[in-house]
Amino acid sequence: MKNKTETLQGLVISGSRNIINVRINMNNEEKNDKTIECRIKGKVLKGHENLYNPFAPGDIVTIEYDSNTETGMILSVENRKNLFSRYNQKGSASQLLAANVDIALCFCTPVSPPFRPRFLDRVLMQADIAGIEAIVICNKTDLEYDDIDVDERLEEYIRIGYDVIRVSAKTGEGLDELRKKISKKTCVLTGQSGVGKSSVINALQPGLDIREGDINEKYDRGVHTTTMSVMFELSDKTRIIDTPGVRRFIPDGIDSSEVILHLREFSPLAGKCSFGLSCSHRKELGCKIMEAVHAGVIHEDRYESFLRIIDDLKGKENDD
């Protein structure tokens, strides 16, 4: 049988390093949308040699489609308006999580698994690096908790300019507000394993039946259910990209000297210390960051996050 091929554009829905699922439109009719399995034309796509994975959900790609086998070969990727990624320690490379995103929904829980504001600080920072609007989503508000730091830190995020939405996939609290915020947008969801990202997606769009994970009772940690980023489309054309739950998030795309520029209450003070941009912000007299911490302008925990992120990135730089 003679191969019948044509060149088409498609939307990446999910994929690993070897197989990428692309949704294509046949005959420009919505009912003819179909998702096909694609590979890369050649071993490595030019310009993507040093990436952990070459594509992410949200990418627009050009493919060579074979109608006989109903498979495709990816020829190129369109320019992206932004890219949400993280540094993958195992692969020692950038891991692409989502492309062409409007909003980053940064998930946390007050309990089960425990509240982890330093993880939040990192994903909020990554959204800033990518130029993506970020919203803090506190899920499982139906659960009782006695940690007063949770409410204090959530209020701190509001004080420095972030929207915070408290939701419960179980009771429905906050879901209407969340729907309005994300309607017809492309959103990336990030959070540690067990924070209930999949549960919230299922609550927003009944019938998707996305697998939901349990909490490991011994360690009070989530069990991984999402192994790669996957895009879902809700009935109102909202696109949601669910990302794998991770326990540690290392920001990507900057070096240690640039951390101060991507934490919003820190950046106005960049270069204003007595030692300028060479200040370590740990012990120097005339350090404006430490002065802001002592004055309560910068929260002590955010300052600790700032130092830990710098240390992580310096360790990465030394490994490189």
Side-chain angles (χ1 to χ4, degrees):
M1 181 183 295
K2 186 178 179 180
N3 280 4
K4 182 181 178 183
T5 62
E6 56 183 316
T7 302
L8 299 170
Q9 272 200 339
L11 175 69
V12 175
I13 302 300
S14 64
S16 62
R17 281 178 285 182
N18 302 318
I19 298 175
I20 300 94
N21 296 308
V22 178
R23 191 170 70 204
I24 59 174
N25 183 278
M26 306 299 293
N27 304 321
N28 294 316
E29 294 183 19
E30 188 173 332
K31 65 181 180 180
N32 286 327
D33 278 359
K34 64 190 301 182
T35 300
I36 64 169
E37 192 176 280
C38 295
R39 286 176 168 77
I40 300 170
K41 184 90 170 181
K43 289 186 177 180
V44 180
L45 196 67
K46 187 177 179 180
H48 292 67
E49 296 87 354
N50 298 318
L51 296 176
Y52 184 78
N53 55 309
F55 306 105
D59 267 329
I60 303 297
V61 293
T62 299
I63 69 168
E64 183 181 86
Y65 174 63
D66 186 330
S67 58
N68 290 330
T69 61
E70 295 191 334
T71 60
M73 288 288 184
I74 296 178
L75 306 176
S76 63
V77 59
E78 294 294 300
N79 290 335
R80 301 158 169 135
K81 74 174 183 180
N82 56 47
L83 190 59
F84 190 87
S85 60
R86 75 179 184 104
Y87 180 72
N88 185 297
Q89 282 183 294
K90 183 179 179 181
S92 300
S94 297
Q95 180 179 1
L96 312 186
L97 299 174
N100 301 314
V101 174
D102 298 308
I103 300 174
L105 302 178
C106 308
F107 273 67
C108 64
T109 50
V111 65
S112 191
F115 184 59
R116 293 284 186 263
R118 287 180 185 147
F119 183 94
L120 266 182
D121 291 336
R122 290 166 179 249
V123 294
L124 290 170
M125 178 178 163
Q126 190 64 49
D128 187 86
I129 293 168
I132 300 170
E133 177 189 355
I135 300 174
V136 176
I137 307 296
C138 185
N139 188 27
K140 303 188 182 182
T141 54
D142 54 285
L143 300 179
E144 293 185 6
Y145 61 94
D146 56 10
D147 185 352
I148 60 173
D149 289 341
V150 173
D151 294 323
E152 182 206 349
R153 287 305 310 274
L154 291 177
E155 287 300 318
E156 177 66 14
Y157 289 123
I158 293 171
R159 184 185 73 83
I160 60 178
Y162 288 106
D163 284 340
V164 174
I165 302 178
R166 297 171 185 257
V167 304
S168 169
K170 186 174 181 178
T171 68
E173 177 189 351
L175 292 182
D176 286 342
E177 181 183 359
L178 179 57
R179 282 192 188 95
K180 290 177 183 177
K181 284 280 188 182
I182 67 175
S183 179
K184 296 180 174 58
K185 304 287 181 64
T186 296
C187 308
V188 58
L189 278 61
T190 61
Q192 294 179 296
S193 299
V195 294
K197 296 182 282 94
S198 299
S199 301
V200 169
I201 300 173
N202 283 332
L204 289 171
Q205 183 71 57
L208 283 177
D209 297 327
I210 303 168
R211 183 185 171 201
E212 299 175 11
D214 298 317
I215 296 294
N216 182 314
E217 293 183 5
K218 181 177 179 180
Y219 298 104
D220 201 13
R221 291 175 173 175
V223 178
H224 295 298
T225 57
T226 304
T227 57
M228 61 183 176
S229 295
V230 181
M231 177 184 285
F232 302 96
E233 189 165 273
L234 307 189
S235 56
D236 66 348
K237 303 300 182 184
T238 300
R239 289 172 173 171
I240 290 181
I241 300 170
D242 190 13
T243 63
V246 294
R247 296 192 178 101
R248 190 165 182 237
F249 191 105
I250 298 180
D252 183 49
I254 63 169
D255 61 38
S256 58
S257 67
E258 298 172 288
V259 173
I260 193 172
L261 303 175
H262 296 285
L263 292 170
R264 56 179 52 182
E265 73 273 44
F266 289 69
S267 59
L269 301 176
K272 295 185 177 179
C273 301
S274 296
F275 289 87
L277 293 174
S278 63
C279 184
S280 72
H281 314 295
R282 298 172 189 265
K283 57 185 179 182
E284 295 89 345
L285 292 176
C287 172
K288 296 301 179 184
I289 296 296
M290 288 195 295
E291 289 177 7
V293 174
H294 294 148
V297 176
I298 291 175
H299 195 285
E300 288 183 359
D301 279 357
R302 288 275 287 177
Y303 173 64
E304 185 65 28
S305 280
F306 168 68
L307 297 181
R308 290 191 184 191
I309 293 169
I310 288 174
D311 288 344
D312 276 354
L313 292 181
K314 281 184 176 179
K316 168 184 169 294
E317 290 157 13
N318 290 335
D319 290 341
D320 293 344

